[in-house]
Amino acid sequence: MQQKLQNTKNLVSEVFNKVYDKYDLMNNLISLGIHKSWKKQLIYSMNPRQNKNLIDVACGTGDIAKLFIKATDGKSKIQCVDPSKKMILIGKNKLKDYKNISWKISAAEKLPFQNSKFDYYTISFGLRNTKNLNKSLAEAYRVLKKGGRFFCLEFSKINNNYLDFVYQNYSKLIPLFGEYVVGDKKPYEYLVKSIREFIDQDELIDLMKQNKFSKCQYINLNGGIVALHSAWKL
Ligand SMILES: C[S@@+](CC[C@H](N)C(=O)[O-])C[C@H]1O[C@@H](n2cnc3c(N)ncnc32)[C@H](O)[C@@H]1O
């Protein structure tokens, strides 16, 4: 499934090339810090075992890798993957004390790894940015071992009219924060538009099933502002 907005030439890469050095700051500001609890919820749901390996796709500045290392007491390997050199550079610098993280520049749609290599696959606020959802999910399935687990954290659809009204109005302010902090509102207009146009919780479950995943499920976080989808490769 092609995503129309994300296939606009160079749009997504330009967005992250503009925001990379203020990405963590803006994430904290516009989510009021709540993105940290969403990411912790992902790791909590995963309940990862030691001596397993994770591929974190659309890793950005490495938040998931850091939480995974903590949850496994450093006894794990992490492969961080992102097409943005600049986002990866920030992540590498932030996590330079951790020796068990490797970094690779690549898109989710074509991962440069052999089949059945990883125990866990995570993608946090990344799937929405890919050009092709089916290709990304097919690659996730391919690189996971049999018995491996898939986790996707992503903005989704709110199931409460009042919360939706508040959220939609709050979203109008996000580009203004962007202009003030980063000096450019366009990346944040993209953020708001890409969230609005992204598929809903059940549509993502359907795509996961179409791409051979088993035991597909999701939980809504904060009323569906974000959903955490998970599945198994069996
Ligand atoms: C919103 S950030 C999320 C970063 C991090 N996972 C987090 O949760 O904070 C989205 C990331 O997706 C990356 N990205 C954009 N297009 C992508 C693609 N086709 N495949 C994988 N990642 C992509 C961007 O470079 C960016 O680092």
Side-chain angles (χ1 to χ4, degrees):
M1 184 181 177
Q2 292 268 104
Q3 300 211 92
K4 205 170 160 217
L5 178 64
Q6 290 73 359
N7 279 278
T8 313
K9 198 166 179 254
N10 297 334
L11 174 69
V12 178
S13 55
E14 276 169 14
V15 162
F16 290 101
N17 278 343
K18 276 181 190 161
V19 305
Y20 70 99
D21 56 342
K22 299 265 173 50
Y23 175 78
D24 288 339
L25 171 68
M26 276 299 282
N27 241 1
N28 286 333
L29 273 178
I30 60 185
S31 78
L32 311 170
I34 301 172
H35 74 104
K36 292 180 188 163
S37 74
W38 294 329
K39 289 168 180 166
K40 280 185 187 158
Q41 178 67 51
L42 186 164
I43 299 293
Y44 177 78
S45 301
M46 182 192 279
N47 191 18
R49 286 185 286 147
Q50 295 182 341
N51 304 314
K52 299 283 175 191
N53 62 349
L54 162 74
I55 178 168
D56 181 40
V57 175
C59 64
T61 61
D63 283 0
I64 298 296
K66 190 172 176 191
L67 289 171
F68 186 80
I69 288 177
K70 280 193 178 160
T72 53
D73 283 334
K75 296 189 179 82
S76 48
K77 277 191 180 159
I78 299 111
Q79 177 66 65
C80 285
V81 178
D82 198 288
S84 165
K85 249 188 209 171
K86 292 187 169 173
M87 291 290 277
I88 281 197
L89 272 180
I90 299 280
K92 265 188 176 171
N93 194 36
K94 210 166 86 177
L95 304 183
K96 59 178 180 297
D97 294 336
Y98 300 97
K99 300 296 169 225
N100 44 350
I101 308 180
S102 313
W103 302 83
K104 190 92 189 167
I105 295 169
S106 170
E109 292 92 331
K110 197 168 182 337
L111 296 172
F113 304 104
Q114 67 197 57
N115 296 352
S116 310
K117 186 174 165 66
F118 299 99
D119 298 293
Y120 302 104
Y121 175 109
T122 50
I123 185 161
S124 158
F125 304 106
L127 190 61
R128 178 179 34 87
N129 294 301
T130 65
K131 290 187 167 52
N132 190 304
L133 299 179
N134 271 318
K135 281 189 184 166
S136 303
L137 292 170
E139 280 292 84
Y141 187 87
R142 183 184 67 75
V143 300
L144 272 173
K145 290 178 188 169
K146 217 168 177 200
R149 301 189 65 191
F150 168 88
F151 293 88
C152 172
L153 198 57
E154 192 50 89
F155 291 108
S156 205
K157 300 296 172 233
I158 295 172
N159 52 21
N160 170 294
N161 288 343
Y162 176 69
L163 178 61
D164 194 41
F165 176 80
V166 174
Y167 181 76
Q168 296 309 332
N169 281 295
Y170 176 67
S171 294
K172 291 178 190 154
L173 301 176
I174 291 175
L176 304 179
F177 293 145
E179 183 147 49
Y180 183 69
V181 178
V182 179
D184 192 343
K185 67 179 178 190
K186 285 204 186 84
Y188 295 91
E189 286 171 347
Y190 161 78
L191 171 70
V192 173
K193 195 161 185 239
S194 67
I195 293 172
R196 202 185 312 124
E197 292 182 1
F198 192 56
I199 57 174
D200 69 24
Q201 287 87 333
D202 293 321
E203 288 169 322
L204 180 50
I205 289 280
D206 286 345
L207 281 189
M208 288 158 62
K209 288 182 180 163
Q210 280 171 34
N211 284 284
K212 304 193 208 160
F213 280 106
S214 304
K215 295 191 188 177
C216 303
Q217 55 180 313
Y218 71 85
I219 53 170
N220 283 330
L221 306 177
N222 293 92
I225 293 178
V226 163
L228 173 60
H229 284 73
S230 63
W232 294 72
K233 175 173 174 176
L234 294 178

